[in-house]
Amino acid sequence: MKKNILAQAIALALMASPLAASASEAELLKRLDKLAAEVEQLKAELAATKKKTDTVEQRQDALAAAPAAPAAVAVAAAPAAAAPVSMAAASPATMLGPNTVLSSYGEVNYTRPRHDSSKAQTDVARAVIGITHRFDEKTKMVAEFEWEHAVTSASDKGETEVEQLYVEREFNNGLRAKGGLFLIPAGLLNTNHEPTAYYGVYRNFVETAIIPSTWREAGLGLSQTLDNGLSWDTGLTTGFDLSKWDASSTDGRTSPLGSIHQEGQMAKSHDLSVFGALNWRGVPGLLLGGSVFTGKVGQKTPDFAAQDARLTLWDLHARYTPGKWDLSAVYARGTISNTEALNQTFAGQPTPVPSSFYGWYTQAAYQLWKNSDYALTPFVRYERFNTANGYAAMPAGLAVATGPNEGVWTTGLNFNVGEGVVLKADYQKFKVDTARDRFNLGLGYAF
Amino acid sequence: MSQNNVAAQIRVRKKIGLPLAFAMAGLLAACGGGGGNSASTPITPAPDSGLSQVASLGKKIFSDQSLSASGKQSCATCHNPDNAHAQSNDLAVQLGGANLDVPGFRAVPSLRYLNLTPAFFFASDGTPTGGFNRDGRANTLADQSQRPFLAPHEMANGGKADVIVKLKQAAYVEEFRQVFGAAILDNSDDAFNRIQLALQQYQKEDAEFHPYDSKYDQFLAGKVPLEAAELRGLALFNNPTKGNCVACHLSAKGSDGSSPLFTDFTFDNLGVPRNPAIAATADPAYYDLGLCGPDRTDLSNRSELCGKFKVPTLRNVATRKVFFHNGYFKTLREAVSFYVKRDTNPELWYPADASGVAQKFNDLPEQYRKNVNVTEVPYNRQPNMPPALSDSEVDDVVQFLGTLTDGYKAQ
């Protein structure tokens, strides 16, 4: 019986893979990880888990390359009583036609500061529509369009943005090449940022303040997944624009890179950046990886005092999902060089350009209860980060105090309704800026 | 004396006197001479200036003293190109009129860096913003240029037609006709309008009015360092708890890479002392209230705006001979000291009443003294508190302000 369920799950995952391809590659791999975890639970079937998983990957790639229509038919014909995990794989996305898939995610959040309830706030934080179109078995287009904060107009705080827009082509040797606007493979969350994919109402601070998720650049990328579980990514893209730095604003303190990213909006491209990422999934449920991104950020801006400034951001990440556990950790560190002259022009201003910033977190979640429709997963996370860890030297008397090493405990739970909807609640306790202590509630979905 | 119909919503007429034909001899000669012999030759841009034909005409008009009632006063007389397009003497107000003996009411502002000034408007939070003249009542550089020709205390023409009569005698009149049409001088209002446009175009096109070549500009570009005292001064200038000058006089590049103009185009009431050097102040009932009058009339019922004057650019401030709208202060150091010691040591700035108490904000009627900015750093002090800047820190800020003078040549 168990074997049958497993077989069904794998079969459905494989059949649904062309649909899953509408999500990011990382999303696909995450689902695969989850599948592997399920497999692990079925001890009788675990003898050849690794081989099976590798096989799954290979066959999935092969199936993803196959025309979508037959797969869609297969999904439609799949028995409704399939295991939940297979439902998860089968449920995403809506077919618009034989080769085009619609997807979406969104979240609505409520926040209540512990010490100042007058600042309680509800926000339709984001609504995203994704469209994936497969031109042929090897070529697809992926687009995501996002609205933030419900309203976008000249006098509102909302944003409308193209979050991804790229074309990907696969080659016979497993290489994939893509061009356009795509997410940089840094950390655990940037390429896997749907609200159903992370714990807590808000994305963690390390992967928003240090890694500016959702971080995308326009350019070219090349990637490959090897049979041994290793995958690599590399590319040449646009980078950051340091001339956007506003020393009078708090934006640079909130997220140094978030304040100078270009998001494909008429991005200055004199100086391009390069990135590389390595991830290893050789053991079921385990992901080990790291990334680096570097490029000059002066962009040859006329009359700019930091022409030679260079940004480098790197991270190490790990995730392990044995059984009901979901354990993860990320360390990320950024540096910006050659900012001495620029920071002198900001003398006396509150937010000069930091020479270094960093953050790390560790997180543990445990699936406490689950039935066919629901799953309850409490979690706890500790983060430590500093967006202004250091500054280039300034003349005597003008030195700027570095920022605090903020520490944040977040504890709460995710309550999944099926695989596409999540209700969240958490409490966040700040070590330094205790005025930020807050309760959060969230509703999210993704398909 | 008809109103300029282009500047419909803007009341005109104003002061800013001007006397003295100053020593911009070379410039004036060069400007005044061109174009007179070109009756039938095509008009081409002056080969050396790169200005358009209209702007080139504007340049000649700018320096043409014959367009004044006295025959001795041009725009350049008070807005001397050699003094950053501001006055060259240290009179609080200039003298004008047919005999150059009619005193004005406000100090001469520099014409530098005005090309990016927006028309007057109220920002979404109600802050009055933009406009030309110290009360913002002209919406464009062209509008602004009308008053000096016609004001009795300036060039003192009886009306636009008077100006055009003089223009017909100018050496460049044929060039004027060729640019604006053979019949342009038949209608004085139209012709005067073209004079205004030409002056505006000159100020917009000629980089002399906005060269962005001060030491500070070069420092922002990473080309020259600031001296230690200058850098300390910049830090004090920017520091929200010290000078806080940056609250109004923006010092950083814009997010679009634009150079700072050292003004946010807003208006403020600083409670500057009454200046007895202005003839009009002999009348105790006379008050210059800026936004709410007497020159500007459309906001006269907005009592909360009374006493507010435009925040000027600080570019070239070290070349100014007098400071603030009424020219009360004669040195930059005095002006900076006023900011930080206005409230800690009012006796330094204001005359004492019969009981020996300093009459703070004595250039405002009693009911408007509450409008004075007393909340923002550095005006948030009380007597016996230390000023926001020490004497040596004031020196540093003055040093820094010296870096804002155009035409810096690295040693």
Side-chain angles (χ1 to χ4, degrees), chain A residues 366-440:
Chain A
Y366 182 78
Q367 192 179 81
L368 199 60
W369 172 76
K370 178 180 173 71
N371 73 11
S372 59
D373 285 333
Y374 306 107
L376 187 66
T377 311
F379 75 95
V380 62
R381 179 171 68 232
Y382 180 70
E383 300 181 68
R384 193 172 174 85
F385 62 98
N386 190 338
T387 56
N389 185 52
Y391 290 104
M394 286 283 278
L398 298 177
V400 183
T402 56
N405 287 306
E406 182 63 279
V408 186
W409 282 101
T410 304
T411 184
L413 46 83
N414 280 19
F415 182 65
N416 287 77
V417 181
E419 287 292 328
V421 176
V422 62
L423 302 174
K424 303 180 183 184
D426 66 48
Y427 176 68
Q428 295 189 290
K429 175 94 186 93
F430 292 74
K431 179 183 158 200
V432 176
D433 190 358
T434 55
R436 298 177 70 185
D437 293 356
R438 58 186 184 175
F439 299 97
N440 307 303

Side-chain angles (χ1 to χ4, degrees), chain A residues 124-205:
Chain A
V124 181
R126 50 178 52 90
V128 179
I129 293 175
I131 299 174
T132 298
H133 178 76
R134 188 168 284 283
F135 300 99
D136 55 46
E137 67 272 20
K138 292 190 172 180
T139 314
K140 67 176 180 178
M141 181 281 302
V142 176
E144 268 189 8
F145 308 99
E146 174 164 1
W147 287 263
E148 289 186 353
H149 310 306
V151 174
T152 299
S153 77
S155 56
D156 288 300
K157 291 182 176 175
E159 275 189 3
T160 300
E161 58 209 46
V162 177
E163 193 167 292
Q164 298 187 69
L165 187 71
Y166 67 88
V167 172
E168 185 176 278
R169 174 78 178 179
E170 297 177 20
F171 300 100
N172 292 332
N173 55 2
L175 272 178
R176 293 181 299 275
K178 60 184 170 183
L181 182 73
F182 52 83
L183 298 163
I184 298 300
L188 290 173
L189 198 148
N190 197 53
T191 55
N192 192 17
H193 50 265
E194 297 80 3
T196 48
Y198 57 86
Y199 297 99
V201 174
Y202 293 99
R203 296 170 183 169
N204 69 73
F205 285 100

Side-chain angles (χ1 to χ4, degrees), chain A residues 98-116:
Chain A
N99 300 314
T100 305
V101 176
L102 182 70
S103 61
S104 176
Y105 68 90
E107 58 182 284
V108 181
N109 300 330
Y110 168 83
T111 292
R112 188 181 185 89
R114 184 183 171 201
H115 302 293
D116 187 357

Side-chain angles (χ1 to χ4, degrees), chain A residues 97-386:
Chain A
N99 300 314
T100 305
V101 176
L102 182 70
S103 61
S104 176
Y105 68 90
E107 58 182 284
V108 181
N109 300 330
Y110 168 83
T111 292
R112 188 181 185 89
R114 184 183 171 201
H115 302 293
D116 187 357
S117 58
S118 71
K119 293 202 170 92
Q121 178 176 278
T122 302
D123 189 29
V124 181
R126 50 178 52 90
V128 179
I129 293 175
I131 299 174
T132 298
H133 178 76
R134 188 168 284 283
F135 300 99
D136 55 46
E137 67 272 20
K138 292 190 172 180
T139 314
K140 67 176 180 178
M141 181 281 302
V142 176
E144 268 189 8
F145 308 99
E146 174 164 1
W147 287 263
E148 289 186 353
H149 310 306
V151 174
T152 299
S153 77
S155 56
D156 288 300
K157 291 182 176 175
E159 275 189 3
T160 300
E161 58 209 46
V162 177
E163 193 167 292
Q164 298 187 69
L165 187 71
Y166 67 88
V167 172
E168 185 176 278
R169 174 78 178 179
E170 297 177 20
F171 300 100
N172 292 332
N173 55 2
L175 272 178
R176 293 181 299 275
K178 60 184 170 183
L181 182 73
F182 52 83
L183 298 163
I184 298 300
L188 290 173
L189 198 148
N190 197 53
T191 55
N192 192 17
H193 50 265
E194 297 80 3
T196 48
Y198 57 86
Y199 297 99
V201 174
Y202 293 99
R203 296 170 183 169
N204 69 73
F205 285 100
V206 174
E207 292 180 281
T208 49
I210 308 301
I211 301 173
S213 304
T214 312
W215 169 25
R216 64 272 190 186
E217 301 287 352
L220 301 170
L222 201 61
S223 60
Q224 188 176 32
T225 301
L226 307 174
D227 292 345
N228 59 8
L230 197 64
S231 64
W232 56 264
D233 286 81
T234 187
L236 179 70
T237 66
T238 54
F240 294 86
D241 175 14
L242 189 56
S243 73
K244 290 170 71 174
W245 191 272
D246 182 354
S248 65
S249 160
T250 57
D251 291 354
R253 288 267 183 185
T254 304
S255 171
L257 297 185
S259 71
I260 57 171
H261 59 181
Q262 302 202 80
E263 303 179 294
Q265 186 190 46
M266 292 183 278
K268 290 184 184 174
S269 302
H270 179 274
D271 296 324
L272 296 178
S273 296
V274 294
F275 70 88
L278 270 181
N279 286 288
W280 182 66
R281 296 179 179 83
V283 172
L286 181 65
L287 165 65
L288 297 173
S291 75
V292 63
F293 180 98
T294 184
K296 289 176 70 176
V297 290
Q299 302 294 349
K300 203 77 175 176
T301 304
D303 293 337
F304 182 58
Q307 288 297 357
D308 294 325
R310 170 177 288 277
L311 159 84
T312 300
L313 181 74
W314 58 270
D315 94 285
L316 295 172
H317 52 260
R319 186 173 183 184
Y320 186 41
T321 51
K324 295 180 176 179
W325 286 96
D326 186 347
L327 310 170
S328 55
V330 171
Y331 179 92
R333 183 179 184 85
T335 55
I336 302 177
S337 64
N338 294 318
T339 56
E340 293 87 345
L342 180 64
N343 276 351
Q344 285 195 22
T345 73
F346 297 145
Q349 304 241 45
T351 314
V353 182
S355 59
S356 71
F357 44 96
Y358 83 98
W360 59 263
Y361 74 80
T362 179
Q363 173 180 281
Y366 182 78
Q367 192 179 81
L368 199 60
W369 172 76
K370 178 180 173 71
N371 73 11
S372 59
D373 285 333
Y374 306 107
L376 187 66
T377 311
F379 75 95
V380 62
R381 179 171 68 232
Y382 180 70
E383 300 181 68
R384 193 172 174 85
F385 62 98
N386 190 338

